[in-house]
Amino acid sequence: MSSWVAHPEVVLVVFDLLGIFVFAISGALVAVRKELDLFGVLVLAGTTGLGGGFLRDVLIDATPPAALADWRYLLVPIVAGLVAFWFHPTLGRLERPVTIFDAFGLALFCVAGAAKALEHGLGPAPAALMGMVTGIGGGMIRDLLAGRVPVVFRAELYATPALAGAGVAVVGIEAGLPVLGPAVAGAVVCLTWRLLALWRGWQAPMPSGPASV
Amino acid sequence: MSSWVAHPEVVLVVFDLLGIFVFAISGALVAVRKELDLFGVLVLAGTTGLGGGFLRDVLIDATPPAALADWRYLLVPIVAGLVAFWFHPTLGRLERPVTIFDAFGLALFCVAGAAKALEHGLGPAPAALMGMVTGIGGGMIRDLLAGRVPVVFRAELYATPALAGAGVAVVGIEAGLPVLGPAVAGAVVCLTWRLLALWRGWQAPMPSGPASV
Amino acid sequence: MSSWVAHPEVVLVVFDLLGIFVFAISGALVAVRKELDLFGVLVLAGTTGLGGGFLRDVLIDATPPAALADWRYLLVPIVAGLVAFWFHPTLGRLERPVTIFDAFGLALFCVAGAAKALEHGLGPAPAALMGMVTGIGGGMIRDLLAGRVPVVFRAELYATPALAGAGVAVVGIEAGLPVLGPAVAGAVVCLTWRLLALWRGWQAPMPSGPASV
C-alpha cells in the first residue's frame, strides 16, 4: 500500500492503461459485430483506446502523442484486441462489467485530459472541453471507422458526465489546489453521474417538435 | 463608424464569429434532422463552426487552434446549437437566409484561412488550398459525423468559389498589396460566385459515361 | 543511369510521386463509382494520395506536411484526378495494373513513413506503426469520405504487409545499417507479401464463432 501512496504517478499509469484496455475492448467488440477481420479488430481496438488522447495531443500540440513514445501504450490495445478476437462470446456475456469499466475509463480520461490541457497553457473552458474530447474521442473515431453515427450522440448520457468531471477538475486546479484533490473529485463526479445515467436510463433531451427542417 | 475603420481587427473578429455562428447553425440543423439528442446538436454545431479552422491550424502547425485560446470561439457555437435546438421549426422556414449567410461565412473563412497560411510560411498554392479547407472543412466533418457523404461533393458549386476566393487573396498578398485589399477582393469573388451558383443552380461537372469501373 | 545512382534522393522523390499518383487514381475511381462530381473526384484523389503522409506528419509533429511545402505534391493528385475523371472507362479495364502499382505505392510509403518517424525521434515500434499508417491512411480517409467501411478491414491482406515492411526497415536502420539497405529490404518484403496475398487470395483471419456479442 505505502509504495503506491509514495508514488502516485504509478497509480496514474496503471489507471491510464486500464482505461485504454477497457476502451480497446469496446472497440474490438464493435469490430467483431461488424464482421471485420483480425486487422480490423486490432485497428478499432487501437483507435478506440488511444484515439481520444491522440485528438487531444494533436489539438494542444503535445505531439508526438504519449502513446507513440511508450511501447506499453501500444501493447495494451493489441492485447485487448486479441482477447476480444478470441473470447468475444464470453465478453458478450460480460457486457455489464465492461460498461462499468468503461465508465471508470471515461472518468479517468476526462480528468487526465483536462489536466494535461491546462499544463499546456489552455484556459479553463477549452481545457474542460479537451477533457471531454479525451474521454469521448476514441469512441467517436471507432464509430466513424465502423460506419455508424457515433453512439455518444444518441444513447444514455455519456459526454455530459465527462464534461462535468473535467470541469470540476479544472476549477479545482485553477483555484490552486494540489492536482490530486480536484482530479479525484472530477473523476468521482463523472463516474457517479455516468453510473446513475446507466442505472436510471437518463438520456439527453431531444429536439422538440417534428424535425421539419 | 469611425471606430471600426480605425480598428479593422475588430471587424475581422466580428465577421469571424458571425461565420462560425452561421456554420454552427447549419451543423445543428443537420443534427436535428438526424434526430440526435441535445449533445449531438451541440457537437455538430461546434465541429461545423470550428472544424475548418481546426483542420487548417493542425496542418500548418498553428496549434493550439485559436478557438481553444479564446472563450468567445467556444461560446458562439454553443449559443447557435441551443438556438437551433429550440427554434429549429422557425429556422427551417429561414432556409434561404441561412444559405445566404452561409455564403458570407464561406467567403470570409476562405480568405482568412489563406491569409493565416501565408503568415505561417506556406507557399501560394498550399495557402490557397488551406483557405479552401478552412471554408469547407467544417461542413465535411459535420457530414462525416452525421453519417452521410459530404454534400460539398454533390451539390451546387461550393468548394470552387472558396478556392477561387482564396486564390485571389493569395495572389494579391504575394504581390505585396496591403492585406485588406486582396482580402476584400477574394471574399467578393467567392461570395459572388457562390450566390450565382445558388441562383442559377450551377453544379460541378460529372464524370462522363457510365461509372463502369 | 549513373546520374540517379549518384543522386538517390531523386529516385526517392520520383517513387514518392509515383506512389501518390497511383493512390490518387484509386481514390478518384472510388469517387467516380460513387457518382461524385469533378470536385469530389479531385478531393478523393488528393486525400487518398496525400492523406497517409498527412496523418503521419501531424502525429509526429512534422508539420506543415511536406506536401504543403512542395507544389509538386499537390500537382500530382490533381493530374491523377483529372486523368481518372476523363478516362475512367479505360482505367476500369486496367484494374489489375492499377492494383499492382498500388502495391508498389504501399511498399514505398510504409518504408518511407517508418524512416521519417525514426528521424523524428520515435522508438522502433511506434515508427513501424507510423510506417503502416502512412501506407494505409490515405485509403482509409478515402473510404470514410466516400461513406463506406474501410476496405483495408475486409479485403485481401494489405495492412499486414505494410507493417511487416516497415518493421524490417526499422530493425535494419536501428541496427545501424545505411538507410538504403533496410529500406529496399522492407519494400521488397511488403511488395512480395502483398502480391502473393493478391495472387493467392490470402485474407486476415476472421473472429471464430457467431458474432453473438
Side-chain angles (χ1 to χ4, degrees):
Chain A
M1 277 310 252
S2 67
S3 82
W4 70 257
V5 170
H7 300 287
E9 72 281 7
V10 174
V11 188
L12 273 184
V13 168
V14 168
F15 270 87
D16 209 14
L17 294 176
L18 201 68
I20 292 171
F21 185 83
V22 175
F23 279 7
I25 289 278
S26 90
L29 289 178
V30 168
V32 168
R33 258 174 248 165
K34 285 269 172 179
E35 304 187 359
L36 303 185
D37 62 28
L38 174 58
F39 173 72
V41 171
L42 290 176
V43 168
L44 276 192
T47 48
T48 311
L50 305 174
F54 275 25
L55 259 184
R56 177 202 58 210
D57 289 347
V58 164
L59 285 172
I60 68 175
D61 205 16
T63 44
L68 291 180
D70 183 339
W71 59 270
R72 292 173 300 181
Y73 284 83
L74 292 179
L75 188 64
V76 164
I78 291 173
V79 170
L82 293 176
V83 165
F85 186 78
W86 277 302
F87 303 113
H88 61 89
T90 311
L91 285 169
R93 288 195 299 274
L94 297 174
E95 190 162 354
R96 181 158 288 270
V98 166
T99 309
I100 291 173
F101 271 109
D102 180 271
F104 277 91
L106 184 70
L108 182 87
F109 275 30
C110 73
V111 165
K116 185 162 184 186
L118 283 178
E119 261 174 45
H120 277 74
L122 267 68
L129 189 75
M130 284 298 103
M132 187 187 77
V133 164
T134 310
I136 72 175
M140 288 177 66
I141 299 176
R142 170 198 69 206
D143 292 338
L144 279 182
L145 289 175
R148 59 185 204 184
V149 172
V151 290
V152 69
F153 290 167
R154 307 212 220 216
E156 291 91 3
L157 284 181
Y158 193 90
T160 318
L163 184 59
V168 166
V170 163
V171 168
I173 295 172
E174 288 286 289
L177 298 175
V179 174
L180 192 62
V184 169
V188 167
V189 165
C190 172
L191 183 64
T192 312
W193 194 340
R194 170 70 181 145
L195 291 179
L196 281 173
L198 280 171
W199 180 40
R200 297 289 194 136
W202 289 344
Q203 304 214 347
M206 298 290 296
S208 58
S212 61
V213 226
Chain B
M1 275 311 252
S2 66
S3 81
W4 69 257
V5 170
H7 301 286
E9 73 280 8
V10 173
V11 188
L12 273 185
V13 168
V14 168
F15 270 88
D16 209 12
L17 294 176
L18 201 69
I20 291 170
F21 185 82
V22 175
F23 278 8
I25 289 277
S26 89
L29 289 178
V30 168
V32 169
R33 259 173 249 165
K34 285 268 171 179
E35 304 187 359
L36 303 185
D37 62 28
L38 175 58
F39 173 72
V41 171
L42 290 176
V43 168
L44 277 191
T47 48
T48 311
L50 305 173
F54 275 26
L55 259 183
R56 176 203 58 211
D57 289 347
V58 164
L59 285 172
I60 68 175
D61 205 16
T63 45
L68 292 180
D70 182 340
W71 59 270
R72 293 173 300 183
Y73 285 82
L74 292 179
L75 188 63
V76 164
I78 291 173
V79 170
L82 293 176
V83 165
F85 185 79
W86 278 302
F87 303 114
H88 61 90
T90 310
L91 285 169
R93 288 196 299 274
L94 296 174
E95 191 162 352
R96 180 157 290 270
V98 167
T99 308
I100 291 173
F101 271 108
D102 181 89
F104 277 90
L106 183 69
L108 182 87
F109 275 30
C110 72
V111 165
K116 186 163 184 186
L118 283 177
E119 261 174 44
H120 276 74
L122 268 68
L129 189 73
M130 284 299 103
M132 187 188 76
V133 164
T134 309
I136 71 174
M140 288 178 67
I141 298 175
R142 172 198 67 207
D143 292 338
L144 279 183
L145 288 175
R148 57 184 206 184
V149 172
V151 290
V152 69
F153 290 168
R154 310 213 219 216
E156 291 90 3
L157 284 181
Y158 193 90
T160 318
L163 184 59
V168 166
V170 163
V171 168
I173 295 171
E174 288 286 289
L177 299 176
V179 173
L180 192 62
V184 169
V188 167
V189 164
C190 172
L191 182 64
T192 312
W193 195 340
R194 170 69 180 146
L195 291 179
L196 281 173
L198 279 171
W199 180 40
R200 298 291 193 134
W202 289 343
Q203 304 214 348
M206 298 292 295
S208 57
S212 60
V213 226
Chain C
M1 276 311 250
S2 67
S3 82
W4 69 258
V5 171
H7 300 287
E9 72 280 7
V10 174
V11 188
L12 272 185
V13 168
V14 168
F15 269 88
D16 209 14
L17 294 176
L18 201 68
I20 292 170
F21 185 83
V22 175
F23 279 8
I25 289 277
S26 89
L29 289 178
V30 169
V32 168
R33 259 174 248 166
K34 285 267 171 179
E35 303 188 0
L36 303 185
D37 62 26
L38 175 59
F39 174 72
V41 171
L42 290 176
V43 168
L44 277 192
T47 48
T48 311
L50 305 173
F54 274 25
L55 259 184
R56 177 202 57 210
D57 289 347
V58 164
L59 285 172
I60 67 175
D61 205 16
T63 46
L68 291 180
D70 182 340
W71 59 269
R72 292 173 301 181
Y73 284 82
L74 292 179
L75 189 62
V76 164
I78 291 173
V79 171
L82 293 175
V83 165
F85 186 79
W86 277 302
F87 302 113
H88 61 90
T90 311
L91 284 169
R93 288 195 298 273
L94 296 176
E95 192 164 350
R96 181 157 289 270
V98 167
T99 308
I100 290 172
F101 271 108
D102 180 90
F104 277 91
L106 183 70
L108 182 87
F109 276 30
C110 71
V111 164
K116 186 162 184 187
L118 283 178
E119 260 174 46
H120 277 73
L122 268 68
L129 189 74
M130 284 298 103
M132 186 187 77
V133 164
T134 310
I136 71 174
M140 288 176 67
I141 298 176
R142 171 198 68 207
D143 292 337
L144 279 182
L145 288 174
R148 59 184 203 184
V149 172
V151 290
V152 69
F153 290 167
R154 309 213 218 214
E156 291 91 2
L157 285 181
Y158 193 88
T160 318
L163 184 59
V168 166
V170 163
V171 168
I173 295 171
E174 288 285 290
L177 298 175
V179 174
L180 192 63
V184 169
V188 167
V189 164
C190 172
L191 183 64
T192 311
W193 195 341
R194 171 68 181 147
L195 291 179
L196 281 173
L198 280 170
W199 180 40
R200 296 291 193 134
W202 289 344
Q203 304 214 349
M206 298 292 295
S208 57
S212 60
V213 225

